Amino acid sequence: MSSSAHLHDFSPGSGRPLIFLAHANGFPPETYAPVLEPLRQHFHVIAFRARPFWEDTPATWLKRWSQMADDLLEGLVELGDRPVVGLGHSLGGVLMLYAAVRCPELFSRLVLIDPTMLAPKLLWEVRFLRLFGLEARPQLVKGAFRRRTHWAGKEEAYRYFRERPLFKAWPDGTVRAYSEHMTGPAPQGGMRLIYPPEWEARIYQTIPTDVWAFAARIPCPTLVIRGEDSTTFTGDSEKTFRKVLPSAQFRVIPGAGHLVAQEKPLEVGTAILDFLME
């Protein structure tokens, strides 16, 4: 199937400069609509729906995240040869990082929202655990496999997600977008989760340890946004990023965690717009 079949266009028919969005692990592009609202007045926004949503590839296909960056680049190339603003959150931030370093001619600027770039000390722990065949992030993996995967209908799915602690800080419209676009009709009736837990877990299991070498090679102006309370892209991660790429700009969003894009969409959208309109 063509990569273009996995694109979500937030601004159909727009001729404005292009922003290309890569979403987080387990979060559909539609949950970024509030963040993108101020940007759409000036930019044409298209998102790439990652391979776990395709439903035609087993999770065991994934050996390294760079494979998903290849998918991203195939989708981007189909949009033409004009440079784009690469925008990525969490997993998507790392995929955009890989893509921009690999094909710098395709990117004019880069915006990374709380990218999954653990501090170097933690990455050494990941490497050590893998030497002994151990899970580097066991709680996340176990949590993925415990996901509920079936509901009687759309409203039940929405109520379920609305009550989960993970979504407590999310605006109601974003929770509805999540529940609608993370579920689809189930063969046995009702609604099912369309982002397989096996895929979510596999992404956690294959978290990359080479990200800082790539960060030092970013070829374009870059903004990094992190949630003040993030346990993924922490203060130590920011310090490392500043060291390897002194030209990068940074914004810290108070009162937000790793899912800062969904928790504080106005603040994040405004920060991105300010950077892009400089």
Side-chain angles (χ1 to χ4, degrees):
M1 183 181 292
S2 169
S3 294
S4 61
H6 306 295
L7 300 178
H8 177 79
D9 196 336
F10 285 92
S11 318
S14 172
R16 298 184 178 97
L18 184 63
I19 292 177
F20 197 54
L21 167 68
H23 58 78
N25 182 18
F27 294 90
E30 290 82 2
T31 63
Y32 295 86
V35 172
L36 301 172
E37 190 58 37
L39 303 176
R40 290 171 56 200
Q41 300 176 34
H42 305 277
F43 296 90
H44 181 187
V45 184
I46 295 179
F48 185 77
R49 205 177 298 274
R51 192 174 283 261
F53 281 113
W54 298 9
E55 300 189 348
D56 62 359
T57 311
T60 52
W61 170 88
L62 184 67
K63 302 298 188 295
R64 61 194 68 84
W65 286 17
S66 59
Q67 294 170 264
M68 298 176 73
D70 291 340
D71 290 338
L72 192 76
L73 283 169
E74 287 182 17
L76 180 54
V77 167
E78 291 192 25
L79 295 177
D81 59 0
R82 53 177 171 154
V84 306
V85 175
L87 171 60
H89 178 206
S90 188
L91 161 72
V94 175
L95 301 187
M96 280 295 176
L97 169 65
Y98 285 155
V101 170
R102 189 173 303 167
C103 297
E105 71 280 3
L106 297 179
F107 294 87
S108 60
R109 293 196 176 205
L110 203 61
V111 179
L112 308 179
I113 304 174
D114 223 271
T116 306
M117 302 175 70
L118 303 184
K121 180 181 177 180
L122 293 177
L123 290 180
W124 278 113
E125 292 179 8
V126 170
R127 295 185 185 99
F128 179 80
L129 290 169
R130 285 177 176 169
L131 282 175
F132 294 93
L134 301 175
E135 293 282 4
R137 310 191 83 186
Q139 294 306 314
L140 292 175
V141 173
K142 291 176 182 177
F145 282 120
R146 288 196 297 264
R147 291 275 185 261
R148 181 173 173 179
T149 60
H150 187 267
W151 298 267
K154 289 184 178 181
E155 193 59 26
E156 182 182 85
Y158 159 73
R159 290 197 303 270
Y160 172 81
F161 291 121
R162 178 70 280 181
E163 294 170 0
R164 304 301 293 175
L166 182 66
F167 306 101
K168 182 178 180 181
W170 288 28
D172 194 62
T174 306
V175 179
R176 283 202 174 273
Y178 179 91
S179 66
E180 289 177 6
H181 296 281
M182 279 289 282
T183 61
Q188 70 272 38
M191 304 298 290
R192 66 181 177 88
L193 193 70
I194 64 171
Y195 195 102
E198 293 81 8
W199 259 105
E200 184 179 354
R202 185 64 178 169
I203 289 170
Y204 292 138
Q205 290 169 330
T206 53
I207 185 170
T209 59
D210 61 354
V211 288
W212 295 112
F214 280 84
R217 296 161 56 196
I218 291 176
C220 56
T222 298
L223 170 67
V224 183
I225 298 173
R226 74 175 179 91
E228 178 184 32
D229 304 320
S230 175
T231 56
T232 300
F233 191 84
T234 62
D236 286 340
S237 297
E238 181 182 337
K239 289 177 184 177
T240 302
F241 210 121
R242 288 181 180 275
K243 182 177 179 180
V244 300
L245 192 73
S247 63
Q249 298 183 35
F250 294 84
R251 286 290 300 272
V252 179
I253 306 299
H258 179 56
L259 300 181
V260 57
Q262 287 78 19
E263 295 171 6
K264 301 285 186 177
L266 179 60
E267 292 88 336
V268 173
T270 300
I272 297 171
L273 184 61
D274 289 346
F275 170 68
L276 297 182
M277 300 301 286
E278 288 179 348

